[in-house]
Amino acid sequence: MSTAQTEQLQKILVAGQWRDSDASESFQSANPALNEMLPERFPISSWSDCEAILIAACEAAEQLRALPSAKIAEFLEAFAKQIEANAERLVSIANLETALPIKPRLSDVELPRTTGQLRQAAAAARSGSWSMPTIDTKANIRSCYEPIGPVCVFGPNNFPFAFNSVSGGDFAAAIAAGNPVIAKANSSHPGVTKLLAELAQTAVEETGLPSSTVQLIYRLSHEDGERLVSDHRIGAIGYTGSRRAGLALKTAADAAGKPIYLELSSVNPVVLLPGAVRERGEELVTEFVTSVLMGTGQFCTNPGMVVMLASTETDAFIKAVAAKFAAGTPGTLLSSAVKKTLTAAIQTLSKAGAEVLTGGSAVEGKCSVANTLLRINGAKFLSNPEVFQTEAFGNASLIVVADSVSQLAEVLRSLEGNLTGCVYSAKDGSDDAHYAAVTPHLIQRVGRILNDKMPTGVAVSPAMNHGGPYPATGHPGFTAVGIPASMIRFGKLTCYDGVRQHRLPAILRDTNLSDSTWRNIDLKWTTGNV
Amino acid sequence: MSTAQTEQLQKILVAGQWRDSDASESFQSANPALNEMLPERFPISSWSDCEAILIAACEAAEQLRALPSAKIAEFLEAFAKQIEANAERLVSIANLETALPIKPRLSDVELPRTTGQLRQAAAAARSGSWSMPTIDTKANIRSCYEPIGPVCVFGPNNFPFAFNSVSGGDFAAAIAAGNPVIAKANSSHPGVTKLLAELAQTAVEETGLPSSTVQLIYRLSHEDGERLVSDHRIGAIGYTGSRRAGLALKTAADAAGKPIYLELSSVNPVVLLPGAVRERGEELVTEFVTSVLMGTGQFCTNPGMVVMLASTETDAFIKAVAAKFAAGTPGTLLSSAVKKTLTAAIQTLSKAGAEVLTGGSAVEGKCSVANTLLRINGAKFLSNPEVFQTEAFGNASLIVVADSVSQLAEVLRSLEGNLTGCVYSAKDGSDDAHYAAVTPHLIQRVGRILNDKMPTGVAVSPAMNHGGPYPATGHPGFTAVGIPASMIRFGKLTCYDGVRQHRLPAILRDTNLSDSTWRNIDLKWTTGNV
């Protein structure tokens, strides 16, 4: 690009400075509500940007290791304050770029969730308990998780704050574990990402953290993305997004031995047992419709598949859902790309034999697809379970009607890995035998099992698992949401064997760091000293 | 193979039965001490053996999930007893197949370590604390690790008991976490593996575990091995062995999204700071020579590289080590394959410019290589650090002599991931500034850092990390030794969100399982009830 062209581009954040990208191309984000491009042009970085960022990230990693974790906590808290002080601007840009409603979604739900996560991460960094300090006094062997090295975060399109690569869950977990973050913005909301990075950089400066603690690029070629995640200087990668792009990055990272934590597609099966449908069918219609259409269905835990037993009550349930779908105005999708993949997924399901009960096609001239309900019977599903598990990311869901409990169990056994699985059962216990027969198959295939609840709420709880077997994620042992558990992903286990007391990390010395620091000493958890 | 040929082959253990393999070929192990083949012929399984084993393993996995973990603990303890009751036979076969000395190594060290591990794993299964039960009482969200599914274990050549695929650390951890094991014997000691599997099967029957809890095959084609680890029915894989074979399995498992835990090569750098050499040079000579020649150097934590500063004391140290190496009779290696790779590695190092101070070549007519000491200066090392990190598995070590502390630090910065890193320093504190300057670089590159100790002892401690950054292992967050930590590798994180109390796994209910079960309730560890 010419110098003049480069000057018109937004700057990237490298080593604490906003500077021109060595860009080969540029892109703009769109306002999906108005179906028009936004004016700012963002650079598509070339490898030289990555190289500069990697060098700076390594320096930051070494400097961060030497800092007490209280300093890192101060940064996370200062950043949360910056976000709150600039909430109006943030919400307004996010709304422009994503069409997600300002209220309640962006300002009352997602932004407070984001600052809450940052503050929980600060508390976890301060206590240090996340690092599982473990001491064997007899052998004088001690171990804990330590920072893994620079973490690359690829954020998704659907949460401009809470999963953003410069403010979301992966970011908070990676920083709280003591690592610098290299953020790759999601291309559908680079503007809000830039503003968040500005606020993060202000907080970095306020609290005296290494200047390269947070760095930002907007976009890369696929080739450079794969090169970045497999670079020897990277510690780990957090990725949330499409399966195709995620698996390409996984292949590259795996070959280089780099831990990559993926949060990919999931259809989140919901089993409605017959007693529950009989007992409270109307209630379930409302719950399901609310869950599947909320945020225009653009959640990784959106209930994309419902599994039921054939009955007149089931038919009534389906009819009522279809009516509500048809009556509701479809929301605006995050981008024309989402519209395209959603339409294609619905076509795949319908071509394979699912009946479109309502919706099924894109809304002309708008970034919307009609609320779509599909239906298929259990036998047909089982004839091609892979295709019928095609994720339709957005306001669409497939109802699978099995003709027996054993067929319903077979459907569950044919499922690939998912983030969640829900089972609704009668309150009077009349479904309990069915529950016992089918749920074990579901549990093995999901990261989180819910009773009588839709999957769309993902609480930031220490007991949460926002994860699950492949291909929902890349490893069934890790959660992307929940503090401190999500921080472990960005830790390297380090053991100190016979190391002299004054050379141990503070958290492994005989005298404990603080009375909120839990350590496992000789197989007992305690906040006491050795 | 013809039926007559098949009948002469040792049987494989499938679904609780010793049966003929559908073998395409066969192999024998050798007695390395006598340099002759042992009479038993073992089958190289075809895919149909794997298919039968996978079907049985899935059944066992479902059955094991339904058992209380106390039953699993009983099995592990019964198996330990069986091993002790048959110690003499086990030690004798192991000695025949590996040439490792009966006393003290096999009967007094490795066998008790193995039964000790099995009993620790039993205790861990019983308490359940390994599964990290985590409860958020306010949100009623609860999570813990649950069995991941059938675990394939590939054991190494160098520990016929303690890392054997049917009795070693991976086996104990996988079973204690509630998973069936598919064991692939190491080809250099199939006989001892068969006997261990017989004892395991006896213990399975004694304690009423599912009949397919432990299954055994001896060998597979590379192609079938890769197919096995990437089969959708597999939960995870534990592998200890050569880097080449391990990385081929990793590629296959990664592509299928299967967690594979590898323990590969490591040169285990030992830094001898100048004050320590000055203070107790002779002592260090003895410590180092003992560590590097023990077990003819065939340990994954063998000190294959020593890093020192140039000085007259360093020259004296090297001279004394070389003399001891030359004076010692080289031990018998585990197999002719080890002899071949060790000789080749020494040649690689010497061709690249390392000076052979003593040894350097194979012993004619014996399964031995002369004790080998090589030397190189820091600048030369840094000119080609990759080649000079070639692992010489066996009784050989490379001494790197740096001309300054900063060059020594550069050498450490050029290292790839290792299991261990040792630093010896003066007792009077005179090395402390050097320690502070160089050790941080080492810590980032190893799983375990030791002070004033050689790396060859790997205690089975809850605080141990027998792991490290790639390519020492495939993930820097996991340990292969130490209970309960090593069990996490074979766990799937499962979250119960709003699940009715009576449907929760016992360990997540309000009333705790036992007073030895630690649970994290609302961010505090406790053995109490909710």
Side-chain angles (χ1 to χ4, degrees):
Chain A
M1 296 186 114
S2 72
T3 314
Q5 282 173 314
T6 303
E7 276 169 5
Q8 291 165 12
L9 294 184
Q10 298 295 313
K11 295 184 190 306
I12 58 174
L13 178 59
V14 182
Q17 303 295 325
W18 288 95
R19 70 178 217 192
D20 288 337
S21 160
D22 178 18
S24 49
E25 288 175 77
S26 72
F27 72 102
Q28 291 161 272
S29 62
N31 177 332
L34 301 179
N35 207 6
E36 62 184 30
M37 298 312 269
L38 290 164
E40 293 79 16
R41 300 196 73 90
F42 294 88
I44 301 181
S45 283
S46 62
W47 180 253
S48 71
D49 286 348
C50 298
E51 185 61 32
I53 277 178
L54 282 164
I55 291 168
C58 287
E59 277 177 32
E62 293 213 11
Q63 292 160 355
L64 282 167
R65 278 178 226 271
L67 283 185
S69 49
K71 290 294 291 178
I72 291 170
E74 283 167 28
F75 159 71
L76 289 164
E77 287 160 347
F79 184 25
K81 272 195 193 166
Q82 285 291 337
I83 290 175
E84 282 162 350
N86 292 275
E88 221 170 303
R89 280 168 70 205
L90 284 165
V91 163
S92 151
I93 302 183
N95 167 259
L96 268 187
E97 290 188 322
T98 65
L100 291 169
I102 288 183
K103 269 182 188 290
R105 165 67 187 265
L106 289 173
S107 69
D108 303 342
V109 181
E110 195 179 329
L111 194 134
R113 178 193 176 97
T114 307
T115 52
Q117 262 177 183
L118 291 167
R119 290 197 173 99
Q120 280 191 42
R126 218 170 243 124
S127 93
S129 306
W130 74 273
S131 70
M132 302 273 170
T134 303
I135 299 177
D136 175 342
T137 58
K138 211 166 143 189
N140 190 22
I141 299 178
R142 302 167 190 233
S143 60
C144 64
Y145 288 94
E146 298 192 344
I148 200 168
V151 174
C152 230
V153 180
F154 294 75
N157 59 0
N158 60 341
F159 281 93
F161 306 141
F163 286 80
N164 194 298
S165 50
V166 266
S167 63
D170 282 355
F171 172 88
I175 296 272
N179 305 292
V181 163
I182 299 171
K184 206 292 274 167
N186 188 285
S187 298
S188 71
H189 51 249
V192 68
T193 307
K194 174 170 178 268
L195 178 50
L196 284 165
E198 285 169 1
L199 302 175
Q201 188 55 27
T202 303
V204 159
E205 287 163 15
E206 269 176 20
T207 52
L209 247 59
S211 57
S212 311
T213 302
V214 181
Q215 300 184 92
L216 172 68
I217 46 177
Y218 299 100
R219 198 151 149 178
L220 288 169
S221 70
H222 291 316
E223 195 194 359
D224 284 339
E226 288 164 28
R227 187 169 168 192
L228 179 62
V229 301
S230 55
D231 190 275
H232 71 279
R233 290 162 289 190
I234 288 290
I237 304 100
Y239 170 93
T240 310
S242 79
R243 188 189 291 192
R244 200 172 41 85
L247 292 184
L249 292 177
K250 174 170 154 55
T251 301
D254 284 343
K258 296 294 173 188
I260 180 164
Y261 304 100
L262 307 156
E263 207 233 279
L264 304 173
S265 55
S266 181
V267 298
N268 305 298
V270 174
V271 179
L272 302 179
L273 290 175
V277 182
R278 230 174 8 246
E279 186 181 80
R280 52 189 205 279
E282 277 182 48
E283 211 176 287
L284 299 189
V285 169
T286 310
E287 264 190 68
F288 172 65
V289 171
T290 304
S291 177
V292 79
L293 299 186
M294 182 167 45
T296 318
Q298 298 163 112
F299 293 108
C300 30
T301 54
N302 189 59
M305 178 187 297
V306 178
V307 193
M308 308 177 76
L309 273 190
S311 74
T312 41
E313 290 92 348
T314 290
D315 288 338
F317 171 89
I318 295 171
K319 204 174 153 189
V321 169
K324 290 215 177 206
F325 271 38
T329 309
T332 305
L333 295 164
L334 291 160
S335 67
S336 56
V338 172
K339 180 179 173 179
K340 202 171 138 192
T341 54
L342 174 57
T343 314
I346 292 169
Q347 272 169 6
T348 300
L349 293 167
S350 119
K351 269 192 194 155
E355 183 191 354
V356 177
L357 301 177
T358 183
S361 52
V363 179
E364 196 77 20
K366 285 199 163 181
C367 193
S368 289
V369 170
N371 298 327
T372 299
L373 192 69
L374 301 109
R375 176 181 176 149
I376 189 141
N377 68 42
K380 191 117 192 184
F381 182 93
L382 289 169
S383 73
N384 201 351
E386 205 180 317
V387 168
F388 290 115
Q389 288 177 74
T390 301
E391 186 189 35
F393 184 77
N395 48 330
S397 197
L398 170 70
I399 302 198
V400 184
V401 182
D403 62 16
S404 66
V405 176
S406 66
Q407 191 184 61
L408 194 156
E410 272 314 298
V411 168
L412 299 183
R413 286 171 71 101
S414 77
L415 296 180
E416 51 183 26
N418 275 279
L419 296 171
T420 67
C422 302
V423 187
Y424 280 75
S425 57
K427 288 172 185 163
D428 64 7
S430 59
D431 281 326
D432 279 15
H434 292 343
Y435 185 97
V438 305
T439 316
H441 304 302
L442 192 57
I443 292 180
Q444 290 175 40
R445 290 165 178 82
V446 302
R448 178 165 56 117
I449 185 95
L450 300 95
N451 273 188
D452 310 305
K453 269 172 91 173
M454 287 291 156
T456 24
V458 184
V460 184
S461 158
M464 174 52 66
N465 180 21
H466 191 59
Y470 183 85
T473 79
H475 191 300
F478 295 101
T479 178
V481 171
I483 291 161
S486 64
M487 293 165 65
I488 286 286
R489 297 177 299 157
F490 304 116
K492 160 193 177 285
L493 189 57
T494 305
C495 174
Y496 294 82
D497 188 342
V499 169
R500 301 185 195 177
Q501 188 71 205
H502 68 283
R503 293 170 176 170
L504 288 168
I507 203 160
L508 292 179
R509 292 185 192 156
D510 286 353
T511 305
N512 197 9
L513 257 188
S514 83
D515 56 13
S516 70
T517 306
W518 285 93
R519 307 192 298 174
N520 191 300
I521 302 182
D522 297 333
L523 291 176
K524 292 186 171 60
W525 288 97
T526 169
T527 57
N529 299 325
V530 168
Chain B
M1 294 187 114
S2 72
T3 314
Q5 283 174 314
T6 303
E7 277 169 4
Q8 293 167 9
L9 294 184
Q10 299 295 312
K11 295 186 191 305
I12 58 174
L13 178 58
V14 181
Q17 303 295 325
W18 288 96
R19 71 178 217 193
D20 288 337
S21 161
D22 178 19
S24 49
E25 289 175 77
S26 72
F27 72 101
Q28 293 161 272
S29 63
N31 177 332
L34 301 179
N35 207 7
E36 62 184 28
M37 297 313 268
L38 291 163
E40 293 79 16
R41 300 196 72 90
F42 294 87
I44 301 181
S45 284
S46 62
W47 181 252
S48 70
D49 285 349
C50 297
E51 186 61 31
I53 278 179
L54 283 164
I55 291 169
C58 287
E59 277 176 33
E62 294 213 11
Q63 292 160 355
L64 283 167
R65 277 177 228 271
L67 284 185
S69 48
K71 290 293 292 178
I72 292 169
E74 282 167 28
F75 159 72
L76 289 164
E77 287 160 346
F79 184 26
K81 271 194 192 165
Q82 285 290 337
I83 290 175
E84 282 162 350
N86 292 276
E88 222 170 302
R89 280 168 70 206
L90 283 166
V91 163
S92 151
I93 302 183
N95 168 259
L96 268 186
E97 291 188 324
T98 66
L100 291 170
I102 288 184
K103 270 183 186 288
R105 164 68 188 263
L106 288 171
S107 68
D108 303 342
V109 181
E110 195 178 330
L111 194 132
R113 178 192 175 97
T114 306
T115 53
Q117 263 178 179
L118 291 167
R119 291 197 172 98
Q120 281 191 41
R126 218 170 242 123
S127 92
S129 307
W130 75 274
S131 70
M132 302 271 170
T134 304
I135 300 176
D136 174 342
T137 58
K138 213 166 141 191
N140 191 22
I141 299 177
R142 301 165 191 235
S143 59
C144 64
Y145 289 94
E146 299 192 342
I148 200 168
V151 174
C152 228
V153 181
F154 294 75
N157 59 359
N158 59 342
F159 281 92
F161 306 141
F163 286 81
N164 194 297
S165 49
V166 266
S167 63
D170 282 355
F171 172 87
I175 296 273
N179 305 292
V181 163
I182 299 170
K184 207 293 276 169
N186 188 285
S187 298
S188 70
H189 51 249
V192 68
T193 307
K194 174 169 178 272
L195 178 49
L196 284 164
E198 285 170 1
L199 302 174
Q201 188 55 28
T202 303
V204 160
E205 286 162 16
E206 270 177 19
T207 53
L209 247 59
S211 57
S212 310
T213 301
V214 182
Q215 299 184 93
L216 172 67
I217 45 178
Y218 299 100
R219 199 151 148 178
L220 287 170
S221 69
H222 292 314
E223 194 194 1
D224 284 340
E226 289 164 27
R227 189 170 167 190
L228 180 61
V229 301
S230 55
D231 190 275
H232 71 280
R233 290 161 290 191
I234 288 290
I237 304 100
Y239 170 94
T240 309
S242 79
R243 188 189 293 193
R244 200 172 41 85
L247 292 184
L249 292 176
K250 174 171 154 52
T251 301
D254 284 342
K258 296 296 172 187
I260 181 166
Y261 303 100
L262 307 155
E263 207 234 281
L264 305 172
S265 55
S266 182
V267 297
N268 305 298
V270 175
V271 179
L272 302 179
L273 290 175
V277 182
R278 228 172 13 242
E279 186 182 80
R280 53 191 206 276
E282 276 182 50
E283 211 176 288
L284 298 190
V285 169
T286 310
E287 263 189 72
F288 173 65
V289 171
T290 305
S291 177
V292 79
L293 298 186
M294 182 166 44
T296 319
Q298 299 163 111
F299 293 108
C300 30
T301 53
N302 189 59
M305 178 188 296
V306 179
V307 192
M308 307 178 74
L309 274 189
S311 73
T312 39
E313 289 92 348
T314 290
D315 288 338
F317 171 89
I318 296 171
K319 202 173 157 190
V321 170
K324 290 214 176 205
F325 270 38
T329 309
T332 305
L333 294 164
L334 291 160
S335 67
S336 57
V338 172
K339 180 178 172 178
K340 202 171 135 191
T341 54
L342 174 57
T343 315
I346 293 169
Q347 271 168 7
T348 301
L349 293 166
S350 115
K351 268 191 193 155
E355 183 190 355
V356 178
L357 301 177
T358 182
S361 50
V363 179
E364 197 77 20
K366 284 200 164 181
C367 193
S368 289
V369 169
N371 298 327
T372 299
L373 192 69
L374 302 109
R375 174 181 178 150
I376 188 140
N377 67 42
K380 190 117 193 183
F381 182 93
L382 288 169
S383 73
N384 200 353
E386 204 179 318
V387 169
F388 291 114
Q389 288 177 76
T390 301
E391 186 190 36
F393 184 78
N395 48 330
S397 197
L398 170 69
I399 301 196
V400 183
V401 181
D403 61 16
S404 65
V405 177
S406 66
Q407 190 184 62
L408 194 156
E410 271 314 298
V411 168
L412 299 183
R413 286 171 70 103
S414 77
L415 296 180
E416 52 183 23
N418 274 279
L419 296 171
T420 67
C422 302
V423 186
Y424 280 75
S425 57
K427 288 172 185 163
D428 64 7
S430 60
D431 280 326
D432 279 14
H434 292 344
Y435 185 97
V438 305
T439 316
H441 305 301
L442 192 57
I443 292 180
Q444 290 175 40
R445 289 164 179 82
V446 303
R448 177 164 57 116
I449 185 97
L450 300 95
N451 272 187
D452 309 305
K453 269 172 92 172
M454 285 293 157
T456 24
V458 185
V460 185
S461 157
M464 176 51 66
N465 180 23
H466 191 58
Y470 183 87
T473 80
H475 192 301
F478 296 99
T479 177
V481 171
I483 290 162
S486 64
M487 294 165 65
I488 286 285
R489 296 176 300 157
F490 304 116
K492 160 193 176 285
L493 188 57
T494 305
C495 173
Y496 294 81
D497 187 343
V499 169
R500 300 186 197 177
Q501 188 71 205
H502 68 284
R503 293 170 176 171
L504 288 169
I507 204 162
L508 293 179
R509 292 186 194 156
D510 286 354
T511 305
N512 198 7
L513 257 188
S514 83
D515 56 12
S516 70
T517 306
W518 285 92
R519 309 192 296 176
N520 190 301
I521 302 181
D522 298 332
L523 292 176
K524 291 185 170 59
W525 288 96
T526 169
T527 58
N529 299 325
V530 167

